[in-house]
């Protein structure tokens, strides 16, 4: 026993014990309070012990097993073979407990409880078959049974119950449609499966895990027909199957960005789609460069792969510019907006300046990439010219928001000069855009607005600067006239040491960001007396009497007299 206690003491005093606590966090439960609350709510208030140990425990056991399965499903790289076996086993446990719960409710519960428990058991059976990738017709029958029950229950009861039933029906819909797709009773396209996969809810988690496998299979089948990549009049053969799948995935995602319904998609979802596009194109470039490394001395193959790598990189650069332009539009919408109830952060002009710096760099990189090479086609020359035009527009926008940042800092001269410069750049870019064969109407409209804003802001800045210059002496005189060494002119609340006879707090509440008013620091200046300054003006005009007769005379000896 002593050894056990010593070992326990060593574990408690072990400095590495905190590390294990961080890896496996410990939970705090008020056991007595939890038991008392559960007992009072579930039967023991009136001594009904049977009710206390009855249906809730069985239902929670089913949910516990189901949640363990979902935990394994949400692993970053997906469950491996061993984890999948565990996942299937936990779903079987969930089905077992759900069946028991349904049986007990049919014996002890009312008709509504029995019906809802039966729907819950059907839902769990459908999940198990769904995960096992077999018996799709049985899984479909269970999902439909659960949906029909929840549809009927959603017509009755209070509003909260109706909402919950409708939500469950919507969560079951993707699984039902997927089962129909697997059976062959539905002509769902890939885009429709993607739309279903965007639905949220616990019931759609298993469906999302299956969706990526279906999409990969569909892309593999479509990739067989994707033999060439077209870009600016060039055609580059694609021989690697992985490269085909990655490019096809990126092109499918691009339809959500440039399709007819792109305007209705929120900015947040479009940013997520851009990230997926970037991932797909980077994967394609990785495959292309792996093929380049293994190409050996085959010059024709290398030329095709280099051209394909250049084309994919150029498309990736275009999408990067589009994403940054989307970020600019989001930032502009928040530039003049005040903080709302959500306490949303307001954009500063400096953030837009940074975004336009990125756009200028992206445009320069894309222009250099397209301009590289000896034999350039007319399409590539035109594309490089368009990049130069965009660069002019971005420079004008950057200069404008740089002027706004100087204006907010109170630097009127610098802001006025920058507004005039931005106006000149916008005018130059506007003329070149209008003279170009492929006119971008959206960019022309934006440049016209920028030109007008530069003119307006420059006039405002010029007038504001003149007013401040005229009022500068008056403001200075007012400030000088109110200067006080003791700070008595400031109409501020008294400090704690000045009102010790009053019972008032000197420290504000915790939710108010105010400085405690105890004693001013640094302390104010105080006037103090000093020694007087004496100027002696009569010294040079006084004739003082001779005092030689009072001065001590030296006595000389015999020898000194001889020499004297």
């Amino acid at each position: 026993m002593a050894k056990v206690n010593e070992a326990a003491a060593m574990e408690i005093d072990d400095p590495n014990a905190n590390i294990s606590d961080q890896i496996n966090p410990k939970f705090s439960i008020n056991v007595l309070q939890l038991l008392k609350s559960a007992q009072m709510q579930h039967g023991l208030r009136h001594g009904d012990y049977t009710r206390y140990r009855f249906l809730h425990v069985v239902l929670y056991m089913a949910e516990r097993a189901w949640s363990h399965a979902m935990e394994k499903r949400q692993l970053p790289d997906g469950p491996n073979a061993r984890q999948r076996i565990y996942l299937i086993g936990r779903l079987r446990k969930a089905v077992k407990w759900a069946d028991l719960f349904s049986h007990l409710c049919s014996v002890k519960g009312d008709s509504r409880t029995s019906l809802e428990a039966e729907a819950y058991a059907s839902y769990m059976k459908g999940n198990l078959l769904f995960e096992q990738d077999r018996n799709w017709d049985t899984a479909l029958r269970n999902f439909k049974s659960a949906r029909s029950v929840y549809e009927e229950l959603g017509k009755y009861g209070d509003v909260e119950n109706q909402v919950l039933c409708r939500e469950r029906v919507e969560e079951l819909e993707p699984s039902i449609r997927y089962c129909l797709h697997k059976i062959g009773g539905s002509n769902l396209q890939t885009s429709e499966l993607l739309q279903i996969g965007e639905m949220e809810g616990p019931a759609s988690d298993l469906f999302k895990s299956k969706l990526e496998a279906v999409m990969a299979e569909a892309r593999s089948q479509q990739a067989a027909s994707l033999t060439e990549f077209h870009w600016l009049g060039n055609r580059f053969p694609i021989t690697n199957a992985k490269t085909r799948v990655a490019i096809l995935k990126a092109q499918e995602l691009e339809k959500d960005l440039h399709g007819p319904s792109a305007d209705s998609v929120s900015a947040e979802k479009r940013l997520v789609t851009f990230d997926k596009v970037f991932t797909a194109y980077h994967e394609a470039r990785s495959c292309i460069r792996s093929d380049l490394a293994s190409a050996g001395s085959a010059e024709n193959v290398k030329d095709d792969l280099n051209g394909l790598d250049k084309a994919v990189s150029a498309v990736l650069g275009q999408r990067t510019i589009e994403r940054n332009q989307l970020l600019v539009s989001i930032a502009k919408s928040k530039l003049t907006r005040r903080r709302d109830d959500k306490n949303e952060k307001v954009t500063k002009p400096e953030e837009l300046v940074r975004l336009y710096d990125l756009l200028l760099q992206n445009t320069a990189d894309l222009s250099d990439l397209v301009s590289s090479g000896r034999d350039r086609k007319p399409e590539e020359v035109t594309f490089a010219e368009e990049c130069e035009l965009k660069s002019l527009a971005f420079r004008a926008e950057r200069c404008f928001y740089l002027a706004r940042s100087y204006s907010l800092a109170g630097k009127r001269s610098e802001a006025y000069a920058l507004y005039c410069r931005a106006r000149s750049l916008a005018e130059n870019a506007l003329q070149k855009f209008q003279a170009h064969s492929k006119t971008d109407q959206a960019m022309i409209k934006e440049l016209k607005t920028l030109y007008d804003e530069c003119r307006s802001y420059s006039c405002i800045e010029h007038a504001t600067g003149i007013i401040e210059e005229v009022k500068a002496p008056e403001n200075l005189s007012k400030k000088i006239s109110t200067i006080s060494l003791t700070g008595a002119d400031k109409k501020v609340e008294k400090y704690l040491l000045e009102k010790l006879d009053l019972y008032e707090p000197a420290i504000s509440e915790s939710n108010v960001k105010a400085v405690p008013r105890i004693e001013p620091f640094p302390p104010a200046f105080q006037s103090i007396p000093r020694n007087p300054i004496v100027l002696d003006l009569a010294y040079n005009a006084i004739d003082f009497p001779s005092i030689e007769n009072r001065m001590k005379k030296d006595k000389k000896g015999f020898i000194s007299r001889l020499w004297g």
Side-chain angles (χ1 to χ4, degrees), residues 235-272:
R235 293 185 176 184
F236 302 101
I238 308 174
T239 57
N240 192 326
K242 292 183 178 180
T243 307
R244 292 176 182 174
V245 172
I247 292 176
L248 185 63
K249 180 180 179 180
Q251 291 176 349
E252 287 178 355
L253 292 167
E254 285 174 345
K255 294 178 182 178
D256 297 335
L257 298 174
H258 306 105
S261 60
D263 296 334
S264 60
V265 180
S266 64
E268 289 75 12
K269 288 186 177 180
R270 293 186 68 188
L271 289 174
V272 173

mmCIF file of all heavy atoms in Angstrom, residues 235-272:
data_model
loop_
_atom_site.group_PDB
_atom_site.id
_atom_site.type_symbol
_atom_site.label_atom_id
_atom_site.label_comp_id
_atom_site.label_asym_id
_atom_site.label_seq_id
_atom_site.Cartn_x
_atom_site.Cartn_y
_atom_site.Cartn_z
ATOM 1 N N ARG A 235 -3.260 24.763 -78.316
ATOM 2 C CA ARG A 235 -3.831 23.484 -77.896
ATOM 3 C C ARG A 235 -2.700 22.605 -77.367
ATOM 4 O O ARG A 235 -1.768 22.277 -78.102
ATOM 5 C CB ARG A 235 -4.535 22.783 -79.060
ATOM 6 C CG ARG A 235 -5.779 23.508 -79.555
ATOM 7 C CD ARG A 235 -6.478 22.690 -80.626
ATOM 8 N NE ARG A 235 -7.717 23.315 -81.062
ATOM 9 C CZ ARG A 235 -8.561 22.785 -81.934
ATOM 10 N NH1 ARG A 235 -8.289 21.585 -82.473
ATOM 11 N NH2 ARG A 235 -9.650 23.416 -82.275
ATOM 12 N N PHE A 236 -2.799 22.242 -76.114
ATOM 13 C CA PHE A 236 -1.758 21.456 -75.471
ATOM 14 C C PHE A 236 -2.331 20.087 -75.112
ATOM 15 O O PHE A 236 -3.367 20.006 -74.445
ATOM 16 C CB PHE A 236 -1.251 22.154 -74.209
ATOM 17 C CG PHE A 236 -0.715 23.531 -74.462
ATOM 18 C CD1 PHE A 236 -1.496 24.647 -74.172
ATOM 19 C CD2 PHE A 236 0.537 23.712 -75.009
ATOM 20 C CE1 PHE A 236 -1.021 25.916 -74.411
ATOM 21 C CE2 PHE A 236 1.026 24.982 -75.250
ATOM 22 C CZ PHE A 236 0.252 26.088 -74.959
ATOM 23 N N PRO A 237 -1.704 19.012 -75.571
ATOM 24 C CA PRO A 237 -2.225 17.665 -75.261
ATOM 25 C C PRO A 237 -2.038 17.335 -73.778
ATOM 26 O O PRO A 237 -1.064 17.727 -73.141
ATOM 27 C CB PRO A 237 -1.376 16.748 -76.138
ATOM 28 C CG PRO A 237 -0.114 17.507 -76.375
ATOM 29 C CD PRO A 237 -0.494 18.959 -76.407
ATOM 30 N N ILE A 238 -3.001 16.593 -73.230
ATOM 31 C CA ILE A 238 -2.953 16.144 -71.836
ATOM 32 C C ILE A 238 -2.928 14.621 -71.866
ATOM 33 O O ILE A 238 -3.897 13.977 -72.275
ATOM 34 C CB ILE A 238 -4.177 16.640 -71.036
ATOM 35 C CG1 ILE A 238 -4.346 18.140 -71.193
ATOM 36 C CG2 ILE A 238 -4.023 16.282 -69.565
ATOM 37 C CD1 ILE A 238 -5.604 18.669 -70.545
ATOM 38 N N THR A 239 -1.823 14.067 -71.424
ATOM 39 C CA THR A 239 -1.667 12.616 -71.454
ATOM 40 C C THR A 239 -1.834 11.971 -70.087
ATOM 41 O O THR A 239 -2.203 10.799 -70.002
ATOM 42 C CB THR A 239 -0.266 12.260 -71.997
ATOM 43 O OG1 THR A 239 0.733 12.886 -71.183
ATOM 44 C CG2 THR A 239 -0.115 12.742 -73.438
ATOM 45 N N ASN A 240 -1.576 12.708 -69.024
ATOM 46 C CA ASN A 240 -1.665 12.166 -67.668
ATOM 47 C C ASN A 240 -3.112 12.196 -67.194
ATOM 48 O O ASN A 240 -3.788 13.228 -67.260
ATOM 49 C CB ASN A 240 -0.784 12.978 -66.712
ATOM 50 C CG ASN A 240 -0.606 12.283 -65.381
ATOM 51 O OD1 ASN A 240 -1.500 11.596 -64.886
ATOM 52 N ND2 ASN A 240 0.558 12.461 -64.785
ATOM 53 N N ALA A 241 -3.608 11.060 -66.702
ATOM 54 C CA ALA A 241 -5.004 10.974 -66.255
ATOM 55 C C ALA A 241 -5.249 11.856 -65.031
ATOM 56 O O ALA A 241 -6.308 12.490 -64.907
ATOM 57 C CB ALA A 241 -5.363 9.522 -65.933
ATOM 58 N N LYS A 242 -4.283 11.927 -64.106
ATOM 59 C CA LYS A 242 -4.454 12.761 -62.917
ATOM 60 C C LYS A 242 -4.533 14.245 -63.285
ATOM 61 O O LYS A 242 -5.298 15.004 -62.698
ATOM 62 C CB LYS A 242 -3.306 12.517 -61.941
ATOM 63 C CG LYS A 242 -3.310 11.142 -61.309
ATOM 64 C CD LYS A 242 -2.183 11.004 -60.305
ATOM 65 C CE LYS A 242 -2.214 9.633 -59.631
ATOM 66 N NZ LYS A 242 -1.104 9.484 -58.639
ATOM 67 N N THR A 243 -3.730 14.636 -64.266
ATOM 68 C CA THR A 243 -3.786 16.029 -64.740
ATOM 69 C C THR A 243 -5.147 16.332 -65.339
ATOM 70 O O THR A 243 -5.719 17.417 -65.123
ATOM 71 C CB THR A 243 -2.674 16.284 -65.771
ATOM 72 O OG1 THR A 243 -1.416 15.896 -65.223
ATOM 73 C CG2 THR A 243 -2.632 17.741 -66.165
ATOM 74 N N ARG A 244 -5.702 15.399 -66.102
ATOM 75 C CA ARG A 244 -7.026 15.602 -66.696
ATOM 76 C C ARG A 244 -8.093 15.786 -65.622
ATOM 77 O O ARG A 244 -8.926 16.692 -65.705
ATOM 78 C CB ARG A 244 -7.385 14.396 -67.568
ATOM 79 C CG ARG A 244 -6.552 14.239 -68.809
ATOM 80 C CD ARG A 244 -6.938 12.952 -69.531
ATOM 81 N NE ARG A 244 -6.157 12.706 -70.717
ATOM 82 C CZ ARG A 244 -6.232 11.602 -71.447
ATOM 83 N NH1 ARG A 244 -7.071 10.643 -71.083
ATOM 84 N NH2 ARG A 244 -5.485 11.459 -72.517
ATOM 85 N N VAL A 245 -8.049 14.924 -64.613
ATOM 86 C CA VAL A 245 -9.063 14.999 -63.556
ATOM 87 C C VAL A 245 -8.966 16.324 -62.805
ATOM 88 O O VAL A 245 -9.976 16.965 -62.499
ATOM 89 C CB VAL A 245 -8.908 13.802 -62.597
ATOM 90 C CG1 VAL A 245 -9.828 13.960 -61.394
ATOM 91 C CG2 VAL A 245 -9.230 12.495 -63.322
ATOM 92 N N ALA A 246 -7.732 16.763 -62.507
ATOM 93 C CA ALA A 246 -7.556 18.016 -61.770
ATOM 94 C C ALA A 246 -8.036 19.212 -62.574
ATOM 95 O O ALA A 246 -8.721 20.108 -62.052
ATOM 96 C CB ALA A 246 -6.088 18.189 -61.390
ATOM 97 N N ILE A 247 -7.708 19.247 -63.870
ATOM 98 C CA ILE A 247 -8.154 20.363 -64.713
ATOM 99 C C ILE A 247 -9.661 20.344 -64.878
ATOM 100 O O ILE A 247 -10.324 21.397 -64.855
ATOM 101 C CB ILE A 247 -7.435 20.303 -66.080
ATOM 102 C CG1 ILE A 247 -5.943 20.589 -65.909
ATOM 103 C CG2 ILE A 247 -8.054 21.299 -67.057
ATOM 104 C CD1 ILE A 247 -5.142 20.468 -67.180
ATOM 105 N N LEU A 248 -10.231 19.149 -65.053
ATOM 106 C CA LEU A 248 -11.684 19.039 -65.186
ATOM 107 C C LEU A 248 -12.391 19.515 -63.917
ATOM 108 O O LEU A 248 -13.417 20.202 -63.982
ATOM 109 C CB LEU A 248 -12.059 17.597 -65.497
ATOM 110 C CG LEU A 248 -13.539 17.325 -65.774
ATOM 111 C CD1 LEU A 248 -13.990 18.080 -67.004
ATOM 112 C CD2 LEU A 248 -13.785 15.834 -65.946
ATOM 113 N N LYS A 249 -11.842 19.165 -62.759
ATOM 114 C CA LYS A 249 -12.421 19.627 -61.495
ATOM 115 C C LYS A 249 -12.388 21.139 -61.403
ATOM 116 O O LYS A 249 -13.370 21.782 -60.987
ATOM 117 C CB LYS A 249 -11.658 18.998 -60.329
ATOM 118 C CG LYS A 249 -12.176 19.397 -58.969
ATOM 119 C CD LYS A 249 -11.378 18.732 -57.858
ATOM 120 C CE LYS A 249 -11.895 19.147 -56.487
ATOM 121 N NZ LYS A 249 -11.116 18.499 -55.389
ATOM 122 N N ALA A 250 -11.265 21.742 -61.804
ATOM 123 C CA ALA A 250 -11.156 23.199 -61.763
ATOM 124 C C ALA A 250 -12.146 23.859 -62.717
ATOM 125 O O ALA A 250 -12.778 24.872 -62.378
ATOM 126 C CB ALA A 250 -9.726 23.620 -62.105
ATOM 127 N N GLN A 251 -12.316 23.283 -63.903
ATOM 128 C CA GLN A 251 -13.256 23.866 -64.877
ATOM 129 C C GLN A 251 -14.701 23.754 -64.409
ATOM 130 O O GLN A 251 -15.511 24.653 -64.663
ATOM 131 C CB GLN A 251 -13.069 23.175 -66.234
ATOM 132 C CG GLN A 251 -11.744 23.509 -66.903
ATOM 133 C CD GLN A 251 -11.527 22.746 -68.203
ATOM 134 O OE1 GLN A 251 -12.277 21.805 -68.520
ATOM 135 N NE2 GLN A 251 -10.526 23.135 -68.965
ATOM 136 N N GLU A 252 -15.036 22.673 -63.717
ATOM 137 C CA GLU A 252 -16.391 22.550 -63.171
ATOM 138 C C GLU A 252 -16.646 23.600 -62.094
ATOM 139 O O GLU A 252 -17.727 24.187 -62.023
ATOM 140 C CB GLU A 252 -16.586 21.152 -62.590
ATOM 141 C CG GLU A 252 -16.715 20.057 -63.636
ATOM 142 C CD GLU A 252 -16.850 18.692 -62.999
ATOM 143 O OE1 GLU A 252 -16.749 18.604 -61.759
ATOM 144 O OE2 GLU A 252 -17.066 17.711 -63.734
ATOM 145 N N LEU A 253 -15.646 23.834 -61.259
ATOM 146 C CA LEU A 253 -15.803 24.853 -60.218
ATOM 147 C C LEU A 253 -15.871 26.253 -60.809
ATOM 148 O O LEU A 253 -16.546 27.132 -60.263
ATOM 149 C CB LEU A 253 -14.639 24.755 -59.231
ATOM 150 C CG LEU A 253 -14.598 23.494 -58.363
ATOM 151 C CD1 LEU A 253 -13.256 23.365 -57.661
ATOM 152 C CD2 LEU A 253 -15.724 23.528 -57.332
ATOM 153 N N GLU A 254 -15.187 26.470 -61.922
ATOM 154 C CA GLU A 254 -15.213 27.793 -62.546
ATOM 155 C C GLU A 254 -16.591 28.144 -63.088
ATOM 156 O O GLU A 254 -16.917 29.326 -63.244
ATOM 157 C CB GLU A 254 -14.179 27.852 -63.678
ATOM 158 C CG GLU A 254 -12.749 27.950 -63.175
ATOM 159 C CD GLU A 254 -11.741 27.864 -64.298
ATOM 160 O OE1 GLU A 254 -12.148 27.435 -65.416
ATOM 161 O OE2 GLU A 254 -10.574 28.214 -64.089
ATOM 162 N N LYS A 255 -17.410 27.133 -63.373
ATOM 163 C CA LYS A 255 -18.774 27.413 -63.827
ATOM 164 C C LYS A 255 -19.590 28.109 -62.747
ATOM 165 O O LYS A 255 -20.480 28.914 -63.051
ATOM 166 C CB LYS A 255 -19.456 26.112 -64.239
ATOM 167 C CG LYS A 255 -18.840 25.443 -65.467
ATOM 168 C CD LYS A 255 -19.524 24.127 -65.789
ATOM 169 C CE LYS A 255 -18.879 23.440 -66.976
ATOM 170 N NZ LYS A 255 -19.504 22.126 -67.291
ATOM 171 N N ASP A 256 -19.277 27.813 -61.476
ATOM 172 C CA ASP A 256 -19.975 28.494 -60.386
ATOM 173 C C ASP A 256 -19.539 29.943 -60.253
ATOM 174 O O ASP A 256 -20.258 30.760 -59.678
ATOM 175 C CB ASP A 256 -19.708 27.772 -59.062
ATOM 176 C CG ASP A 256 -20.254 26.357 -59.061
ATOM 177 O OD1 ASP A 256 -21.209 26.107 -59.828
ATOM 178 O OD2 ASP A 256 -19.742 25.499 -58.318
ATOM 179 N N LEU A 257 -18.357 30.273 -60.806
ATOM 180 C CA LEU A 257 -17.852 31.643 -60.711
ATOM 181 C C LEU A 257 -18.257 32.496 -61.904
ATOM 182 O O LEU A 257 -18.429 33.709 -61.762
ATOM 183 C CB LEU A 257 -16.317 31.623 -60.609
ATOM 184 C CG LEU A 257 -15.715 30.911 -59.393
ATOM 185 C CD1 LEU A 257 -14.201 30.849 -59.514
ATOM 186 C CD2 LEU A 257 -16.110 31.636 -58.115
ATOM 187 N N HIS A 258 -18.406 31.870 -63.069
ATOM 188 C CA HIS A 258 -18.699 32.635 -64.281
ATOM 189 C C HIS A 258 -20.010 32.235 -64.938
ATOM 190 O O HIS A 258 -20.316 32.724 -66.026
ATOM 191 C CB HIS A 258 -17.560 32.461 -65.294
ATOM 192 C CG HIS A 258 -16.211 32.796 -64.753
ATOM 193 N ND1 HIS A 258 -15.279 31.840 -64.414
ATOM 194 C CD2 HIS A 258 -15.624 33.990 -64.449
ATOM 195 C CE1 HIS A 258 -14.180 32.415 -63.949
ATOM 196 N NE2 HIS A 258 -14.369 33.720 -63.950
ATOM 197 N N GLY A 259 -20.759 31.361 -64.306
ATOM 198 C CA GLY A 259 -22.023 30.922 -64.890
ATOM 199 C C GLY A 259 -23.123 31.957 -64.732
ATOM 200 O O GLY A 259 -22.939 33.032 -64.143
ATOM 201 N N PRO A 260 -24.312 31.651 -65.253
ATOM 202 C CA PRO A 260 -25.426 32.610 -65.168
ATOM 203 C C PRO A 260 -25.901 32.875 -63.751
ATOM 204 O O PRO A 260 -26.470 33.926 -63.471
ATOM 205 C CB PRO A 260 -26.529 31.936 -66.009
ATOM 206 C CG PRO A 260 -26.167 30.480 -66.037
ATOM 207 C CD PRO A 260 -24.685 30.427 -65.987
ATOM 208 N N SER A 261 -25.700 31.921 -62.846
ATOM 209 C CA SER A 261 -26.148 32.099 -61.464
ATOM 210 C C SER A 261 -25.035 32.594 -60.541
ATOM 211 O O SER A 261 -25.169 32.531 -59.319
ATOM 212 C CB SER A 261 -26.694 30.774 -60.922
ATOM 213 O OG SER A 261 -25.685 29.769 -60.944
ATOM 214 N N ALA A 262 -23.930 33.085 -61.131
ATOM 215 C CA ALA A 262 -22.795 33.502 -60.302
ATOM 216 C C ALA A 262 -23.121 34.741 -59.472
ATOM 217 O O ALA A 262 -22.639 34.895 -58.351
ATOM 218 C CB ALA A 262 -21.580 33.774 -61.187
ATOM 219 N N ASP A 263 -23.956 35.623 -60.014
ATOM 220 C CA ASP A 263 -24.275 36.865 -59.294
ATOM 221 C C ASP A 263 -25.098 36.604 -58.041
ATOM 222 O O ASP A 263 -25.063 37.401 -57.100
ATOM 223 C CB ASP A 263 -25.024 37.834 -60.210
ATOM 224 C CG ASP A 263 -24.163 38.284 -61.390
ATOM 225 O OD1 ASP A 263 -22.916 38.258 -61.238
ATOM 226 O OD2 ASP A 263 -24.719 38.652 -62.434
ATOM 227 N N SER A 264 -25.834 35.513 -58.032
ATOM 228 C CA SER A 264 -26.674 35.217 -56.871
ATOM 229 C C SER A 264 -25.901 34.526 -55.752
ATOM 230 O O SER A 264 -26.431 34.381 -54.649
ATOM 231 C CB SER A 264 -27.850 34.327 -57.293
ATOM 232 O OG SER A 264 -27.388 33.097 -57.836
ATOM 233 N N VAL A 265 -24.670 34.108 -56.022
ATOM 234 C CA VAL A 265 -23.858 33.439 -55.001
ATOM 235 C C VAL A 265 -23.219 34.490 -54.106
ATOM 236 O O VAL A 265 -22.731 35.526 -54.589
ATOM 237 C CB VAL A 265 -22.783 32.558 -55.659
ATOM 238 C CG1 VAL A 265 -21.939 31.847 -54.605
ATOM 239 C CG2 VAL A 265 -23.434 31.540 -56.582
ATOM 240 N N SER A 266 -23.214 34.256 -52.813
ATOM 241 C CA SER A 266 -22.642 35.209 -51.874
ATOM 242 C C SER A 266 -21.132 35.288 -52.032
ATOM 243 O O SER A 266 -20.492 34.376 -52.563
ATOM 244 C CB SER A 266 -22.995 34.825 -50.439
ATOM 245 O OG SER A 266 -22.416 33.577 -50.096
ATOM 246 N N ALA A 267 -20.565 36.395 -51.561
ATOM 247 C CA ALA A 267 -19.122 36.604 -51.698
ATOM 248 C C ALA A 267 -18.331 35.571 -50.911
ATOM 249 O O ALA A 267 -17.271 35.111 -51.363
ATOM 250 C CB ALA A 267 -18.759 38.013 -51.226
ATOM 251 N N GLU A 268 -18.833 35.172 -49.753
ATOM 252 C CA GLU A 268 -18.120 34.183 -48.941
ATOM 253 C C GLU A 268 -18.028 32.847 -49.661
ATOM 254 O O GLU A 268 -16.972 32.192 -49.682
ATOM 255 C CB GLU A 268 -18.817 34.009 -47.591
ATOM 256 C CG GLU A 268 -18.676 35.194 -46.641
ATOM 257 C CD GLU A 268 -19.565 36.366 -47.035
ATOM 258 O OE1 GLU A 268 -20.452 36.158 -47.907
ATOM 259 O OE2 GLU A 268 -19.375 37.464 -46.499
ATOM 260 N N LYS A 269 -19.141 32.408 -50.286
ATOM 261 C CA LYS A 269 -19.122 31.139 -51.018
ATOM 262 C C LYS A 269 -18.220 31.218 -52.247
ATOM 263 O O LYS A 269 -17.556 30.242 -52.610
ATOM 264 C CB LYS A 269 -20.541 30.751 -51.428
ATOM 265 C CG LYS A 269 -21.416 30.304 -50.263
ATOM 266 C CD LYS A 269 -22.751 29.789 -50.749
ATOM 267 C CE LYS A 269 -23.604 29.277 -49.583
ATOM 268 N NZ LYS A 269 -24.914 28.756 -50.024
ATOM 269 N N ARG A 270 -18.184 32.371 -52.884
ATOM 270 C CA ARG A 270 -17.309 32.524 -54.051
ATOM 271 C C ARG A 270 -15.844 32.449 -53.651
ATOM 272 O O ARG A 270 -15.012 31.876 -54.363
ATOM 273 C CB ARG A 270 -17.593 33.852 -54.744
ATOM 274 C CG ARG A 270 -18.971 33.931 -55.380
ATOM 275 C CD ARG A 270 -19.141 35.211 -56.166
ATOM 276 N NE ARG A 270 -18.289 35.216 -57.332
ATOM 277 C CZ ARG A 270 -18.119 36.289 -58.137
ATOM 278 N NH1 ARG A 270 -18.743 37.417 -57.840
ATOM 279 N NH2 ARG A 270 -17.330 36.227 -59.172
ATOM 280 N N LEU A 271 -15.512 32.996 -52.487
ATOM 281 C CA LEU A 271 -14.131 32.886 -52.007
ATOM 282 C C LEU A 271 -13.754 31.436 -51.731
ATOM 283 O O LEU A 271 -12.630 31.006 -52.033
ATOM 284 C CB LEU A 271 -13.952 33.733 -50.737
ATOM 285 C CG LEU A 271 -13.961 35.254 -50.923
ATOM 286 C CD1 LEU A 271 -13.915 35.945 -49.568
ATOM 287 C CD2 LEU A 271 -12.790 35.695 -51.785
ATOM 288 N N VAL A 272 -14.695 30.690 -51.159
ATOM 289 C CA VAL A 272 -14.437 29.260 -50.918
ATOM 290 C C VAL A 272 -14.243 28.524 -52.241
ATOM 291 O O VAL A 272 -13.358 27.666 -52.378
ATOM 292 C CB VAL A 272 -15.597 28.649 -50.105
ATOM 293 C CG1 VAL A 272 -15.440 27.141 -49.995
ATOM 294 C CG2 VAL A 272 -15.667 29.274 -48.715
#
